[in-house]
Amino acid sequence: MVKHFSAPYDRSMSRHDEIRQEMLRRINDGEWPVGSDIPHEMVLTEEFGAARGTVRRALSTLVEQGLIERRKRAGSRVVGQTSQTSKLHIPLIREEIESRGHAYSYRLLEREVKPGLHGIGTRNGLLWVRCLHLADGAPFQLEHRTINLDTLPQAAEQPFRVTGPNEWLVREVPATRVITRISAAAAEAEIAEILAVPEHAPLLIVSRETFMGEAHLTEARLSHPAEQYQVTTLSI
Amino acid sequence: MVKHFSAPYDRSMSRHDEIRQEMLRRINDGEWPVGSDIPHEMVLTEEFGAARGTVRRALSTLVEQGLIERRKRAGSRVVGQTSQTSKLHIPLIREEIESRGHAYSYRLLEREVKPGLHGIGTRNGLLWVRCLHLADGAPFQLEHRTINLDTLPQAAEQPFRVTGPNEWLVREVPATRVITRISAAAAEAEIAEILAVPEHAPLLIVSRETFMGEAHLTEARLSHPAEQYQVTTLSI
DNA sequence: TGGGCTTCTATGTCTAGACATAGAACGATA
DNA sequence: TATCGTTCTATGTCTAGACATAGAAGCCCA
């Protein structure tokens, strides 16, 4: 089969990646302008000399990226992003700190079993942990965590004295759904002291709830001094 | 072909979704514990009575979710997430404000063509825009934007007097790569005044750079009073 | 025992079909 | 002209193959 375009694409790419690159180029160069219909699958299939499945794979990637949209019978068209979607990747705090070339250390501040709340942990209660993650000895992240002992009874046996709940959860527990919220706030007196920042200093706060199916597993509130931490995401 | 499991799955789901659900259940219930190998594709293919492609589609989704990892010759295994990945979705500020039931309004503060910087916009310069997005008349987001006039010369003709650069960019310009950074900071005097918050009040700041291929398109710095705004993400 | 070579296999990619179906387009009717 | 069925088609899903290939596992030899 003939390839009907001859740009010097990386030969190590798979065919669907090559095709996707070429489609990207056409969008880029305005050959397929925003708002316009792009050719039907079968036309592209012939043009690229590939199977329909391969062309579809290239197209699906563009759909994921939000560059095109497709509707049955109506065909596919290039869209200007109505909202930018990107992948947010929050690493283990230990890795984050070590990747910056700092020494990681950990301190457990509080650990307590509390009664359930809002229908969560009504049987076995909630494990409440407060701990601090440090970079080169300086406070980097304050972690407030609750673990649902109904769904994760094994957590009750974890002391979390030398490693944080995160490390354990990551190793032992898979999650199917995660809700992450990122916000800013001024440091209250108690938190300011723990994080060694002035009162009312700006904090970047990452809150995360984790579920397995419908079951609530754990919730975390991670507070960082604003100067030290930012969240970065890449496009899909 | 027989389906070898009989849970009452939604019949409206596609087969690969059904299979994925069943796999999720097995991970959930510990039948496939974290760290363990899961059966080979061909075994699953037989068990589910589906084609290999269909089983692979279910598995790929689990890989995307970060629940399993696969390696040639070595097979597939369940992994505890070493880092949580989720989808970050930043809507048009107008939509954000209207979806909260507030009236959106816009004010252009500054618009100027500046010389290029760091090899960006060296030919035609950079269009620099500062504008304010309001909810029910109250400041909600301060937008600092630069647009690369080398790659987007059409932007020079846009007055941005009644709608912001975002609306125009979204309608006209596709992007292949977006870098988003989320941070917190204390409001400097000038910004505090524009946003009608006390000096040093915490701000949530979303910065975004947009590219088409390697070409730099635009850069935005969006500042919000911390109490009014947070970023939410859902799992993939 | 350890390093390098070969073999082998589970996953990755691709093809060429078939059938399902949302929903756009069209035509009939009021 | 507006509304309501009907038709039709581009996309969505699935199948059953073939071949490619990373890299784990085993082997040989020093």
Side-chain angles (χ1 to χ4, degrees), chain B residues 119-180:
Chain B
I120 296 171
T122 44
R123 231 176 37 250
N124 301 344
L126 295 170
L127 179 60
W128 155 266
V129 177
R130 192 158 70 156
C131 56
L132 188 64
H133 304 270
L134 307 98
D136 286 340
F140 189 89
Q141 179 188 86
L142 173 63
E143 172 176 355
H144 293 233
R145 179 169 299 266
T146 54
I147 300 175
N148 183 350
L149 292 177
D150 287 356
T151 47
L152 294 173
Q154 327 92 290
E157 289 144 35
Q158 297 295 322
F160 299 129
R161 234 186 310 267
V162 291
T163 57
N166 231 324
E167 310 253 343
W168 177 76
L169 287 162
V170 152
R171 220 173 34 242
E172 302 286 334
V173 184
T176 56
R177 196 158 63 89
V178 181
I179 302 176
T180 308

Side-chain angles (χ1 to χ4, degrees), chain B residues 62-115:
Chain B
L62 296 179
V63 170
E64 258 185 56
Q65 287 185 35
L67 280 165
I68 65 172
E69 82 186 358
R70 328 192 64 202
R71 267 172 28 250
K72 284 188 183 173
R73 166 85 207 228
S76 311
R77 63 177 45 193
V78 182
V79 291
Q81 277 100 320
T82 63
S83 70
Q84 309 268 13
T85 301
S86 47
K87 246 187 198 163
L88 175 67
H89 193 80
I90 298 189
L92 261 186
I93 187 66
R94 170 202 287 279
E95 285 166 16
E96 171 76 25
I97 288 174
E98 285 171 353
S99 76
R100 296 176 180 214
H102 297 139
Y104 170 82
S105 55
Y106 168 80
R107 206 153 72 219
L108 177 64
L109 302 177
E110 224 178 312
R111 183 188 183 286
E112 197 182 337
V113 176
K114 297 189 176 185

Side-chain angles (χ1 to χ4, degrees), chain A residues 84-104:
Chain A
Q84 309 266 14
T85 301
S86 46
K87 247 186 197 163
L88 175 68
H89 194 80
I90 299 189
L92 261 185
I93 186 66
R94 170 201 287 279
E95 285 166 16
E96 171 75 26
I97 288 173
E98 285 173 351
S99 77
R100 295 176 182 215
H102 298 139
Y104 170 82

Side-chain angles (χ1 to χ4, degrees), chain B residues 14-16 49-54 57 71-74:
Chain B
S14 46
R15 194 78 181 90
H16 69 260
R52 186 171 159 231
T54 307
R57 184 155 176 186
R71 267 172 28 250
K72 284 188 183 173
R73 166 85 207 228

Side-chain angles (χ1 to χ4, degrees), chain A residues 160-171:
Chain A
F160 298 130
R161 234 187 310 267
V162 290
T163 57
N166 231 326
E167 310 252 342
W168 177 76
L169 287 162
V170 151
R171 218 173 36 241

Side-chain angles (χ1 to χ4, degrees), chain A residues 167-187:
Chain A
E167 310 252 342
W168 177 76
L169 287 162
V170 151
R171 218 173 36 241
E172 302 286 334
V173 184
T176 56
R177 196 158 63 88
V178 181
I179 302 177
T180 308
R181 293 190 184 83
I182 304 171
S183 58

